[in-house]
Amino acid sequence: MAVNLELDGLNELLAALLEERQTIVASVRTLRDSRRQKGTFVLGDGAAAGPRLVAVQRQIDVVESIIAAIINSN
C-alpha cells in the first residue's frame, strides 16, 4: 500500500514537472512570436529560460529513475 502511495505521489510530481517544462517552452515561443510581430526579435530571445528548462529536465530524469527503481524492486 505504501509503495502505491509513493508511486502515486511520484507520478503526480512527474506530471507537474512535465507541465512546467511545457509552460517554459510555450512562454519562450510566445515571447519570440510577439517580438517577431513587433519587429524587435533578436537572436537569443528567451535564452534566459534555458537554465530553468535544463533544471526541470534534470528533475524529470531523477523522478523517472526513482519510479523505475521502485517498479523494478517490486
Side-chain angles (χ1 to χ4, degrees):
M1 183 71 172
V3 172
N4 286 341
L5 288 175
E6 188 175 4
L7 279 174
D8 287 346
L10 287 169
N11 282 322
E12 287 181 32
L13 176 59
L14 180 60
L17 288 169
L18 293 171
E19 184 177 328
E20 178 65 15
R21 183 177 66 189
Q22 291 172 338
T23 301
I24 294 169
V25 171
S27 67
V28 169
R29 185 175 296 129
T30 300
L31 170 71
R32 289 178 176 174
D33 288 347
S34 66
R35 292 219 175 141
R36 280 187 185 107
Q37 289 175 356
K38 294 178 183 176
T40 59
F41 178 79
V42 294
L43 203 57
D45 270 350
R52 190 169 143 217
L53 186 63
V54 169
V56 169
Q57 186 58 50
R58 284 185 187 141
Q59 293 171 347
I60 289 169
D61 294 342
V62 168
V63 172
E64 286 177 336
S65 69
I66 293 169
I67 291 171
I70 290 171
I71 290 172
N72 290 334
S73 70
N74 287 331

